[in-house]
Amino acid sequence: MASKSVKEKVVCIVGLGYVGQSLAKAFSRHLSTIGFDIDESKVISLNNFQKKFQSTTDEKEIFKADIVIICVPTPITSTNQPDLEPIEKAAISIGRNLKTGAIVVLESTVYPGLTEEVLIPLLEQNSNLICGKDFFVGYSPERINPGDDEHSLDTITKVIAANENNTLETLMEIYSLITTVYRAPSIKVAEAAKVIENIQRDLNIALVNEFAIIFHKLGIDTKEVLEAAQTKWNFLPFVPGLVGGHCIPVDPYYLVERVQRIGYHPQVILAGRAINDSMPAYVADMVLKGLIESGKVVKEAKVLIMGLTYKENVTDIRESPVPYIVKTLKEYSIAKVYGLDPYLNSDIIMKMDVIPYFAESEKVDAVILAVPHKQFKNLKISDFINMMNDPGAFVDVKGIYNSSDFKARGIWYDRV
Ligand SMILES: NC(=O)c1ccc[n+]([C@@H]2O[C@H](COP(=O)([O-])OP(=O)(O)OC[C@H]3O[C@@H](n4cnc5c(N)ncnc54)[C@H](O)[C@@H]3O)[C@@H](O)[C@H]2O)c1
């Protein structure tokens, strides 16, 4: 029987979260696409969105696929160890339903070696097929950036790798249907490239956060220093702030764990993590200082946190730094902590251990602009004054306002 042309291939996306949905939408414009997820609500919400797309919770449907693409989460445990359960369970489901000749591609962010050391053995054990003979494997890391309209799946170059040349050619052709592709020399190279992209970002933010801590101690305005330094052509334009989400604060631990297993203890990577993890408490300390310097009684103070998601203009609260700010404020016996976020409903806000804030809520003594969503950017200083009892404290985490404008109105102002 002649082998199928690329246009005839059936794709199955395993894991229909943020990444999986984007891929399902992109592939189903060109190829017959199946979406498999264990979460029924995801499957129901996506069914019939495209003629060529069908979603299911029935793992047997995977058997129809020529290309199976895995987009399941790669979280960490409470002790910062990689939690491979979602990948292992997905591999078992796929193995049980793998068609001879199929290609399995992992897109989840992992440490170098995981595809070959963890995924392939589980696929072989559960399918009784042999990798490289009966089925083939590739790796293509996902780079999409939530809340960023400029860098979407179709505009980002996609790194593609496989453990065998024909598979690599097929994957290059398939992924070329949806975006620009880059041929990586091996699966390990592609896995390592993805994880260091996120580690580099984490460390660059950690470095400017450390600058911010240093300049606060020296009484110098960090924003002004960075603006001056950025006039040099090769000074990187990172800004201090909070680091959240299920990628940047999580992915470094995948590489750390893998290399610790062979006796190397990364120092720079973990130092960056430690600094970024300390920033929520640093912000809470700023508020405390602001309240005291504004003459407020800490035990009676009410604080409003604006922006609760892990970053601007997204609905995702996973690994949001805000609960850590709240925890520290509560340790300081702050009377009440309110939360306001245009992307979240009151139930979710309450789950973050804050009281939902409405226009008619009582006035507060301090405001933390933690995440400057676009809806907040039009607010004027008078809007913040209207939220406050009398001039209180304002912590502008990302430094989007001019400090002098606040100070001129009698408000204590600081930024990270
Ligand atoms: N979200 C991003 O911006 C982004 C960007 C680049 C890379 N990544 C990486 O891509 C991967 C997926 O991220 P995401 O944001 O799409 O995650 P997500 O949590 O939004 O979605 C994961 C989906 O997988 C499903 N799932 C879990 N176990 C499953 C199983 N055994 N079988 C089938 N489905 C299963 C879940 O129900 C969920 O719908 C992660 O490794 C992440 O680090 C994410």
Side-chain angles (χ1 to χ4, degrees), residues 49 56-57 88 94 109 249 255 265-266 276 349 362 372 383:
F49 82 87
T56 180
T57 51
E88 288 168 352
I94 296 165
T109 309
L255 188 60
H265 299 284
N276 287 341
I349 291 179
E362 65 182 330
D383 296 316

Side-chain angles (χ1 to χ4, degrees), residues 190-233:
E191 291 168 323
K194 168 65 196 182
V195 77
I196 67 158
E197 285 163 23
N198 283 358
I199 293 174
Q200 186 187 66
R201 187 162 172 78
D202 195 37
L203 278 172
N204 277 315
I205 300 170
L207 183 61
V208 282
N209 277 338
E210 185 153 67
F211 291 154
I213 294 167
I214 290 170
F215 295 138
H216 259 86
K217 289 186 187 298
L218 296 175
I220 306 170
D221 188 308
T222 308
K223 193 178 179 185
E224 288 171 5
V225 177
L226 293 176
E227 277 166 6
Q230 273 162 31
T231 59
K232 191 182 176 202
W233 64 93

Side-chain angles (χ1 to χ4, degrees), residues 363-367 384-394 411:
K363 295 194 183 267
V364 297
D365 301 289
V367 174
F384 296 117
I385 289 178
N386 288 338
M387 294 172 180
M388 291 186 186
N389 275 319
D390 35 60
F394 188 86
I411 296 175

Side-chain angles (χ1 to χ4, degrees), residues 15 17-19 37-38 42 72 74 90 108-109 142 144 146 246 318:
Y18 187 79
V19 168
D37 203 297
I38 47 171
K42 293 257 173 60
V72 297
T74 41
S108 306
T109 309
E142 191 47 66
I144 47 177
H246 64 302
R318 282 177 293 177

